[in-house]
Each structure stands twice: as structure tokens, then as C-alpha cells.
Amino acid sequence: MVKPLIQITKFEIDKNAALAAVADHNAGSNLLFLGTTRQFTDESETLELRYECYPGMAEREMTRLSSAAIAQWNLSGVAIIHRIGIVPPGQASLAVAVSSPHRQASFQAGSWLIDEIKRVVPVWKQEIDRQGNTHWIHPVEKTGLS
């Protein structure tokens, strides 16, 4: 039985901890994705991103998604760490790590988890640009779904 690491933190994401959480001697593939704050979005310079969430619901949704990915791709491990609060350019706001016996399952599961996290987990992102303008990024804008 795989027990995923699910975490919401106000601190910098420890990518080594994410990889350690999915380490398994039967895994031939360990995949780590880090979603980081870009300095520029189109022509606008980003000062910082601010993330807010509903922790209990966010953790439940991340756990549900992890369980679905484990079952669908026979994963050896899953770790999802989402940062809340202020995230400056160059720092990570999301870490998704998965491990599996073979690389194709890790890539597919990791990609699916990232898309689903952005789509259904109740985490909201506010972009603050260099001029002090703020803009909330909504899931529809992030995924193109309507």
C-alpha cells in the first residue's frame, strides 16, 4: 500500500524531501516536477505570486488525486507539496514527485497529476506585477477550460 506525501506549506519546497518520499527499490523511474514563479508573463514583470487555499479541502483533493494516480499507473510513490503565501520569481510553488517501475507511467501520472491539481484543488493564485497591479488567476484561465 503506497502512502502518498501530501503537504501544504508556507516555506520553501524541499525538492530532495519530495524525491525521498517517493524512493522505492522497485522503482526504475523517479520523476520530479517543480512549478516555479516566472519573472515575466507576456510583457509584464512579476514581482511575486500569492497563493491562498482552503487547507482541509485542498489536502483531501490532493490525496484523492494521488490515490487515483497510484491505482491507474501502479505507482511506487507520490508526493505533492503545494506552497501558499508569497512565492517570488525563481522559487517553487508546487512539487509533484512520482515513482514507478517504468518511466512512461511516471511521465503520464506526473502530467495528469499536475493538470488535475491545477484544475480541481482549491488553491488560488494572485499575480502581483512590478507596477503593483494585481490579477487573480482562475482555473479556467490556467487550463483553457470553460
Side-chain angles (χ1 to χ4, degrees):
M1 177 75 178
V2 178
K3 182 168 178 12
L5 169 68
I6 304 298
Q7 187 178 57
I8 295 174
T9 183
K10 292 182 179 181
F11 304 104
E12 283 191 46
I13 292 175
D14 182 347
K15 60 183 173 264
N16 293 323
L19 281 171
V22 301
D24 185 281
H25 293 294
N26 293 315
S29 171
N30 294 275
L31 180 82
L32 173 66
F33 167 83
L34 295 175
T36 57
T37 301
R38 305 184 274 280
Q39 184 176 2
F40 288 92
T41 301
D42 299 321
E43 285 125 37
S44 177
E45 185 175 4
T46 302
L47 179 64
E48 63 191 21
L49 296 178
R50 292 184 189 153
Y51 289 87
E52 296 179 10
C53 79
Y54 178 20
M57 186 182 285
E59 289 168 346
R60 280 192 301 276
E61 282 297 306
M62 291 190 296
T63 299
R64 182 184 66 77
L65 293 173
S66 296
S67 295
I70 290 164
Q72 183 167 344
W73 286 283
N74 191 30
L75 300 178
S76 305
V78 174
I80 301 172
I81 305 170
H82 208 305
R83 186 168 170 187
I84 58 172
I86 296 171
V87 183
Q91 291 189 15
S93 56
L94 176 64
V96 174
V98 297
S99 62
S100 66
H102 304 284
R103 71 181 174 272
Q104 188 171 9
S106 289
F107 279 109
Q108 290 173 346
S111 180
W112 180 82
L113 280 166
I114 294 157
D115 289 344
E116 288 301 295
I117 290 165
K118 292 174 88 44
R119 190 176 73 81
V120 302
V121 175
V123 175
W124 302 277
K125 177 171 70 172
Q126 184 181 42
E127 188 174 311
I128 297 90
D129 69 19
R130 184 61 66 191
Q131 290 72 38
N133 300 313
T134 61
H135 176 68
W136 284 99
I137 308 297
H138 300 286
V140 169
E141 294 173 37
K142 294 188 289 187
T143 63
L145 300 173
S146 53

